[in-house]
Amino acid sequence: MCGIVGYVGERECADVLVDGLKKLEYRGYDSAGIAVFENGKIVVEKSKGKLQDLVDKMAKEKKPEGHCGIGHTRWATHGEPSDINSHPHGNKRVSIVHNGIIENYKEIKDFLLDQGYGFESETDTETVAKLLDYYYNGNPIETIGKVIDKVNGSYALGILFRDFPGVLYAVRKDSPLIIGVGENENFIASDVPAILKYTNKYILLEKNEIATIKEDSVLITNEEGKVIEKEINEADWTMDAAEKGGYEHFMLKEINEQPNAIKTTITPRIQDGMPYLEESGLTKEMLKSFRRIYIVACGTAMHAGLVGKYVIEKLARVEVTVDIASEFRYRNPLITKDDLVILISQSGETADTYAALKLAKERGATTASVVNVKGSTIARESDIVIYTHAGPEISVASTKAYSVQLSIMYLLAFELAYVKGEISEERCRKLTQALVEIPEKLEEVLKLKERCQFIASRLINSESLLYIGRGLDYALSMEGSLKLKEISYIHSESYAAGELKHGTISLVTEDMPVIAVATQSDLLEKTVSNIKEVKSRGAKVTMICTEDVDIEKDIANHLVKIPKIYDELTPLLVAIPMQYIAYYTAVLKGCDVDQPRNLAKSVTVE
Ligand code: F6R
């Protein structure tokens, strides 16, 4: 939800800002803008639309020239996407970029209107810019301190004061912000990939710490101006990881990165052939002691949690409740201090998941997060963090992050089942070994590309689609359906196959393709019956099953066969044809695969 960058150094600032914003466009792409000090004045350029529209505009008109500035890519919340509502906001004296939401902006606006201020945009951000101007007393740190005392909500701000050319100010609360530390140049950014081209060293800014950033220094203070010593971190993500690397889209690249992402995620968590989550702080004693497990997340991450529920309950016989974070936080859940609450989040910044974490902590539960972005808010604030090692996921539609989240769910289920005495050591070893072999199997499944491309070509003219499955296959269907609709804009629903005849089957006609997942041997016959029910009503069925299944001819119109592995683990393989089908459907329809309309990758607002 909005990305911000800032630069001070010897390079041409506008170029560095545009470079950084390119890496942050996944956070929002409704508009883009930059503000740069040019001959002591703050010069602003902004434009509705994607970053490329701003680049084209600057090529046609004028690119601000200078060595210190801020930039923004927007996911609109307050005010439609338009030139006027684009960031930076401010006036001749102050200019800001903002990621987050200012909850009391109306109150601030009314106050400032009374003081004679005028407003151009409908944004909450402009009120902060004008409030900075109102409190400005010649001392930026004091001014920022006064403003953050008055604003409620979430923010990461990059700020320029006309009186301090060559100095970049930054502050954050509940929205991410890092400070990139280079040689005679420094940066701010919402996320590490935005600075990787220039440096892999960064500082994590904590709540309400104020950064004063010059070409050759970074000073962090609190609101009273007291200096705070900060640690400099080194990112282990490389710049290549945030590039397309020859693929047409990030999504396709990320689909193909799954074998390696899983390998890198599970290897450190397996010792002597057995799952080992202790390195993350989740000890065997703790695992044994939990009364109940909650898994809370949003979207795809929640779907990974659903797979976790099936597998943990099946193997470890521990009750697991999976919740959508935006529901969980307002439903007064029955969590106690004896429960484990697992938060799953690729970004580690999702506002609802973060709120769920805070609630779980208030109730005294143990909190464990499964997060991909190092040092993100959810990771930092949970009791235990299990990092997934997928590398940066740039495409808005999540693929490799989902697979690595699944792999952690498996390790957790195996270890829990073993420490609880529900499975023998031998079974635990076998399951763990099967997980270790998954990356190899995935390489085989990745070869199903053409098959899935063909199936996609049969879907592009549909208005609506149905995904069905039972048990783990139902959990997978939900993810397949979400992936397809979010990037191809074809409406789709996922349904528990056995539930169809309680209403939804009335939608089935020959115009509605059905994708049926049937990989669970104990449920195969039942799912096949459901497939027959929809097929006899005209639906064109694609069936995803394991290669050993001997299917009567004509059961399905199209078959996708995956290697036979333990039933529990098939979601890891099925994910790929699901992702491919969604991807190629979107490509064939000419959709913007990596940046689907109305979406942003990191949802830092409620
Ligand atoms: C869909 C997708 C989203 C995210 C969701 C949670 O492809 O990516 O549904 O899974 O917004 O995001 P994180 O995992 O960052 O909390």
Side-chain angles (χ1 to χ4, degrees):
M1 301 265 115
C2 300
I4 70 174
V5 287
Y7 174 75
V8 51
E10 282 168 8
R11 298 175 206 260
E12 202 49 67
C13 181
D15 297 341
V16 181
L17 296 176
V18 166
D19 244 8
L21 290 176
K22 253 184 217 154
K23 298 287 180 305
L24 294 180
E25 252 201 314
Y26 71 87
R27 302 179 70 89
Y29 28 82
D30 288 330
S31 67
I34 61 172
V36 174
F37 274 112
E38 190 179 76
N39 302 324
K41 280 192 194 144
I42 301 172
V43 178
V44 176
E45 280 298 338
K46 47 193 188 179
S47 166
K48 179 186 161 187
K50 297 206 168 180
L51 180 63
Q52 193 55 44
D53 295 309
L54 173 72
V55 173
D56 294 345
K57 185 177 174 200
M58 292 196 296
K60 226 188 275 164
E61 294 167 16
K62 185 189 169 312
K63 181 173 79 180
E65 286 176 5
H67 302 281
C68 175
I70 50 180
H72 189 266
T73 177
R74 178 170 187 243
W75 188 82
T77 56
H78 297 63
E80 55 165 14
S82 67
D83 286 355
I84 282 288
N85 288 333
S86 308
H87 299 215
H89 287 287
N91 55 20
K92 287 189 179 140
R93 197 155 66 159
V94 186
S95 185
I96 72 168
V97 286
H98 169 217
N99 168 28
I101 288 206
I102 305 302
E103 284 157 9
N104 58 338
Y105 81 101
K106 278 209 180 88
E107 201 181 293
I108 298 171
K109 193 168 182 174
D110 288 344
F111 168 77
L112 290 168
L113 283 167
D114 283 348
Q115 308 305 313
Y117 279 87
F119 289 86
E120 291 172 354
S121 76
E122 301 153 271
T123 64
D124 51 340
T125 304
E126 194 182 356
T127 63
V128 180
K130 301 282 162 78
L131 198 62
L132 280 161
D133 185 78
Y134 173 78
Y135 281 118
Y136 183 68
N137 62 358
N139 180 330
I141 295 177
E142 275 179 26
T143 307
I144 295 169
K146 278 188 193 142
V147 168
I148 58 180
D149 276 351
K150 294 277 181 275
V151 299
N152 301 331
S154 57
Y155 49 82
L157 296 169
I159 311 167
L160 303 179
F161 290 94
R162 183 197 52 199
D163 297 349
F164 294 83
V167 192
L168 197 61
Y169 294 88
V171 64
R172 74 167 275 269
K173 186 188 141 226
D174 294 348
S175 294
L177 194 72
I178 57 143
I179 297 165
V181 182
E183 291 280 324
N184 290 323
E185 58 182 354
N186 293 307
F187 308 78
I188 60 168
S190 299
D191 203 350
V192 171
I195 57 158
L196 278 180
K197 184 170 172 186
Y198 306 99
T199 179
N200 67 345
K201 295 193 174 57
Y202 67 95
I203 294 170
L204 291 166
L205 203 60
E206 296 296 338
K207 182 177 165 184
N208 287 347
E209 288 177 348
I210 300 170
T212 306
I213 304 159
K214 298 182 186 165
E215 187 177 298
D216 53 359
S217 66
V218 175
L219 179 77
I220 315 287
T221 51
N222 66 9
E223 290 166 64
E224 283 82 44
K226 187 167 170 279
V227 176
I228 302 167
E229 291 301 328
K230 300 290 289 187
E231 194 187 326
I232 297 186
N233 305 287
E234 270 190 34
D236 46 18
W237 290 357
T238 62
M239 203 185 91
D240 297 349
E243 301 285 342
K244 279 193 202 149
Y247 286 92
E248 199 183 336
H249 297 102
F250 278 111
M251 183 172 173
L252 188 59
K253 175 180 178 237
E254 288 160 7
I255 290 173
N256 280 274
E257 282 172 345
Q258 291 178 100
N260 199 38
I262 292 181
K263 202 194 260 173
T264 323
T265 299
I266 62 173
T267 306
R269 276 83 187 227
I270 297 174
Q271 252 191 18
D272 190 22
M274 291 288 276
Y276 178 75
L277 291 169
E278 221 146 308
E279 52 103 47
S280 319
L282 201 52
T283 64
K284 293 190 171 41
E285 286 62 41
M286 286 168 95
L287 274 176
K288 257 192 270 187
S289 69
F290 299 122
R291 190 182 62 127
R292 211 171 28 190
I293 297 178
Y294 286 87
I295 303 181
V296 189
C298 300
T300 291
M302 192 275 292
H303 293 156
L306 279 175
V307 171
K309 172 188 166 76
Y310 278 100
V311 183
I312 294 170
E313 289 191 342
K314 178 173 178 188
L315 297 175
R317 311 304 296 156
V318 176
E319 190 186 334
V320 182
T321 302
V322 179
D323 256 283
I324 295 170
S326 54
E327 291 292 314
F328 179 86
R329 62 183 293 191
Y330 294 117
R331 76 170 173 83
N332 197 5
L334 299 167
I335 333 164
T336 70
K337 60 175 183 23
D338 302 323
D339 299 331
L340 170 66
V341 179
I342 301 175
L343 299 308
I344 307 181
S345 176
Q346 187 283 129
S347 62
E349 300 293 346
T350 302
D352 286 319
T353 311
Y354 178 46
L357 165 67
K358 289 200 274 196
L359 178 66
K361 288 181 86 167
E362 268 164 40
R363 302 279 169 95
T366 303
T367 55
S369 60
V370 178
V371 171
N372 196 43
V373 177
K374 278 211 184 118
S376 54
T377 311
I378 293 171
R380 275 189 278 173
E381 295 194 18
S382 40
D383 301 320
I384 293 155
V385 52
I386 306 173
Y387 280 114
T388 52
H389 301 304
E393 190 180 63
I394 310 287
S395 176
V396 165
S398 187
T399 53
K400 60 177 179 172
Y402 173 69
S403 297
V404 291
Q405 288 159 355
L406 290 187
S407 68
I408 295 294
M409 291 294 108
Y410 284 111
L411 286 174
L412 184 67
F414 301 164
E415 181 150 41
L416 190 59
Y418 175 61
V419 298
K420 286 243 166 201
E422 293 290 337
I423 57 170
S424 64
E425 182 178 331
E426 193 195 349
R427 175 131 166 86
C428 189
R429 282 187 187 282
K430 279 192 177 152
L431 285 164
T432 309
Q433 180 55 27
L435 184 63
V436 170
E437 287 165 15
I438 286 289
E440 221 176 285
K441 305 275 180 203
L442 284 181
E443 297 290 356
E444 270 176 65
V445 182
L446 283 168
K447 295 185 189 138
L448 292 170
K449 189 171 114 176
E450 268 92 32
R451 179 97 199 107
C452 297
Q453 219 165 351
F454 168 76
I455 290 164
S457 71
R458 297 284 172 264
L459 302 179
I460 49 172
N461 295 319
S462 316
E463 276 179 16
S464 194
L465 234 94
L466 205 54
Y467 281 77
I468 59 170
R470 287 171 177 258
L472 274 173
D473 290 333
Y474 174 43
L476 246 290
S477 301
M478 291 191 202
E479 176 53 13
S481 169
L482 173 64
K483 211 88 306 170
L484 183 97
K485 72 182 128 196
E486 75 171 318
I487 59 171
S488 75
Y489 315 143
I490 298 177
H491 170 256
S492 87
E493 271 192 67
S494 57
Y495 240 78
E499 183 66 7
L500 276 180
K501 30 184 168 328
H502 299 285
T504 309
I505 202 162
S506 68
L507 290 174
V508 174
T509 64
E510 57 190 21
D511 295 327
M512 179 180 271
V514 173
I515 299 192
V517 192
T519 67
Q520 302 299 298
S521 30
D522 55 339
L523 296 168
L524 183 69
E525 266 182 39
K526 306 271 172 211
T527 312
V528 166
S529 301
N530 301 129
I531 293 175
K532 286 181 180 166
E533 287 160 10
V534 291
K535 188 134 187 299
S536 64
R537 285 159 179 85
K540 303 277 178 302
V541 180
T542 296
M543 179 176 173
I544 304 178
C545 60
T546 49
E547 64 199 358
D548 59 312
V549 171
D550 192 13
I551 282 288
E552 293 163 46
K553 232 169 127 242
D554 297 339
I555 282 281
N557 302 80
H558 313 294
L559 274 182
V560 178
K561 291 205 168 190
I562 57 160
K564 174 72 185 153
I565 51 169
Y566 285 129
D567 279 5
E568 291 85 350
L569 289 168
T570 54
L572 283 164
L573 302 194
V574 179
I576 288 192
M578 293 288 203
Q579 296 161 353
Y580 266 157
I581 290 172
Y583 172 77
Y584 284 111
T585 308
V587 170
L588 291 171
K589 284 192 73 190
C591 301
D592 191 342
V593 175
D594 285 334
Q595 295 176 344
R597 70 180 175 219
N598 304 339
L599 287 172
K601 188 149 187 76
S602 177
V603 186
T604 53
V605 297
E606 231 188 282

